[in-house]
Amino acid sequence: FQGYSGDVAQGVAYMIPTPVIRRFLTDIKDGHYDKYVDLGLTPGNLQNPAQRRYFGLPDDGRGVVVRTVIEAGPAGRVLKEGDVLLSIDDHAIASDGFVELEGERVEMPEVVERKFKGDKVKFEILRDKKPLTLTIELDTVWPYQVQAHHYDTRPRYVVYGGLIFQPLSLDLLDAYQISDPRVRHYFDYYILEQLYLQHPDIIVLTNILPDPTNTYLGPYRSSIVDEVNGKKIATLNDLAQAFAEASDRFVIKMIGQGPPLVLDRKEVESARERIRTRYNVIAEQNLEEQPVATKATASSGTPHS
C-alpha cells in the first residue's frame, strides 16, 4: 500500500517497529549509516525424515541446510552450500528455520538483523556430517544494493560523446522505465546467477544527448556494455579508463548480437564543449556515489538516479 496515491491512500499509515528505530539510531551515532548487515545465504528447512538422515541429523527437530551462498557476502568466506546450521549465537535453529529469542520464536535472520557492521556471529554446524564451530564477521552484502533504493545520493555516470552510461540499479530502472528483456534479466538474476562476479557494475547506455557526433545511435539505447576496444568492462571505472586512453576510435561492443557502436575520438573531442554547453553538463563523470548537496543545481545533462 505504500505505492498508493490519491484517494486510495487516504487515512492509510504504517508503523515502524521500535527495534527498527532503536537500531537505526544506534547505527547513526557515528554520523554514518552502515545499513543492515546480512549473511548472504539462503537456508532450507530440514523437516523431511529421509533428508535429515541423509545429512546425518537425529530426529530432534534442529538444523537447516545452506542452499545458496553469496560469494560477495560475509557467509561466502566461511560457509559452503550443503552445510547444516545447528545454532546461531547459542540459539538452537529449528528445522523450520526459527529460533527462540527473548521468549519468542523468530526467523533466524532476526538474530543477525539486530547486529551491526563488524559484529560477529557464531554458528555450530555440520559439514560432511562432522561438527564445526565457525565465526562470521558481519557486513553488508554489496550485490543486494543493486536491487535496493538509494536516497540522497548522486547517480554514478560517464558522459562521452553525448552518450550517457550508468550502472544498472533499481533506481535507474524506475527512472528510465527500461523494459529491454536483456537488461531486465541482468537485473532480476544479478544475484541468483552470480552475475556480479563478472560484472560488478552492469553498464547501461541510458540516454543520448543528440549531437552530430552520435547520430543514428538510438538503437543502442538501453544496451549493456561488454567491451571497449577489446577490453572487458566490469565497472564504471573501467569504462572511464577506456575512454581516457589515446585511441583513434572507440569500438564499443554491447552484450548480445549486432555490430559494435563506434566513436571517433577526434569528433568526440571537437564536440565536447558544444555538448557540455548545449546540455549544461556540469561534470562529465561521477564515478563514486556521493551525497546530494543541500542546494543542487538542476541540469538537463545530469542523469537520473
Side-chain angles (χ1 to χ4, degrees):
F1 63 82
Q2 298 177 44
Y4 293 159
S5 61
D7 295 338
V8 179
Q10 292 298 317
V12 175
Y14 66 98
M15 296 177 63
I16 301 176
T18 302
V20 175
I21 297 175
R22 188 180 298 117
R23 187 197 181 284
F24 173 77
L25 294 176
T26 302
D27 194 335
I28 63 171
K29 280 183 178 179
D30 61 356
H32 178 73
Y33 180 50
D34 292 317
K35 304 181 178 68
Y36 270 86
V37 293
D38 202 303
L39 289 169
L41 63 81
T42 304
N45 296 348
L46 284 176
Q47 296 170 300
N48 178 271
Q51 194 175 29
R52 293 185 64 81
R53 289 193 295 271
Y54 172 80
F55 283 103
L57 291 171
D59 187 19
D60 59 0
R62 290 180 60 195
V64 293
V65 64
V66 176
R67 295 178 58 189
T68 60
V69 181
I70 304 298
E71 289 191 29
R77 298 184 288 270
V78 179
L79 296 174
K80 300 179 180 180
E81 292 182 10
D83 284 346
V84 176
L85 309 180
L86 300 175
S87 73
I88 177 171
D89 279 354
D90 298 321
H91 299 287
I93 303 172
S95 58
D96 62 357
F98 279 71
V99 300
E100 189 84 16
L101 188 63
E102 297 179 356
E104 296 183 8
R105 291 191 83 239
V106 297
E107 294 185 10
M108 183 187 71
E110 178 68 21
V111 177
V112 175
E113 290 176 0
R114 297 191 182 191
K115 294 178 178 287
F116 300 89
K117 183 177 180 179
D119 288 348
K120 292 180 172 60
V121 64
K122 183 181 72 173
F123 279 101
E124 291 180 353
I125 75 167
L126 284 183
R127 177 174 293 167
D128 299 325
K129 301 182 181 180
K130 297 178 181 178
L132 289 174
T133 299
L134 303 174
T135 300
I136 298 175
E137 183 173 335
L138 296 173
D139 201 345
T140 56
V141 181
W142 69 261
Y144 289 169
Q145 300 305 311
V146 171
Q147 298 179 335
H149 284 296
H150 293 252
Y151 301 95
D152 300 325
T153 57
R154 295 188 183 280
R156 299 164 58 216
Y157 64 90
V158 167
V159 179
Y160 191 76
L163 307 182
I164 301 178
F165 300 91
Q166 294 178 259
L168 181 60
S169 68
L170 178 59
D171 292 325
L172 184 142
L173 286 180
D174 287 348
Y176 287 100
Q177 294 295 300
I178 297 175
S179 59
D180 181 84
R182 180 172 285 109
V183 174
R184 297 297 313 192
H185 175 87
Y186 268 74
F187 179 80
D188 293 338
Y189 292 91
Y190 184 70
I191 295 172
L192 185 62
E193 295 183 355
Q194 300 192 96
L195 300 176
Y196 59 84
L197 296 177
Q198 298 295 324
H199 294 275
D201 286 333
I202 308 294
I203 307 301
V204 181
L205 173 56
T206 56
N207 207 352
I208 299 175
L209 306 178
D211 184 83
T213 194
N214 58 41
T215 54
Y216 305 108
L217 296 182
Y220 291 94
R221 188 182 277 109
S222 296
S223 296
I224 299 173
V225 177
D226 186 22
E227 300 177 355
V228 175
N229 288 352
K231 294 183 179 179
K232 288 288 185 180
I233 302 300
T235 66
L236 189 64
N237 291 64
D238 290 345
L239 184 66
Q241 291 172 10
F243 287 147
E245 293 184 1
S247 301
D248 292 335
R249 66 177 61 87
F250 295 101
V251 180
I252 306 170
K253 182 180 178 182
M254 302 300 191
I255 291 178
Q257 298 179 347
L261 185 161
V262 181
L263 294 174
D264 184 279
R265 183 183 182 86
K266 289 184 179 179
E267 291 180 359
V268 170
E269 290 300 323
S270 65
R272 194 169 187 174
E273 192 58 37
R274 179 174 67 240
I275 292 174
R276 291 188 59 154
T277 302
R278 179 178 298 169
Y279 297 102
N280 193 24
V281 178
I282 299 173
E284 292 180 313
Q285 63 182 34
N286 177 39
L287 303 181
E288 302 297 332
E289 194 172 73
Q290 301 173 354
V292 175
T294 304
K295 294 183 179 180
T297 303
S299 169
S300 60
T302 300
H304 298 291
S305 297

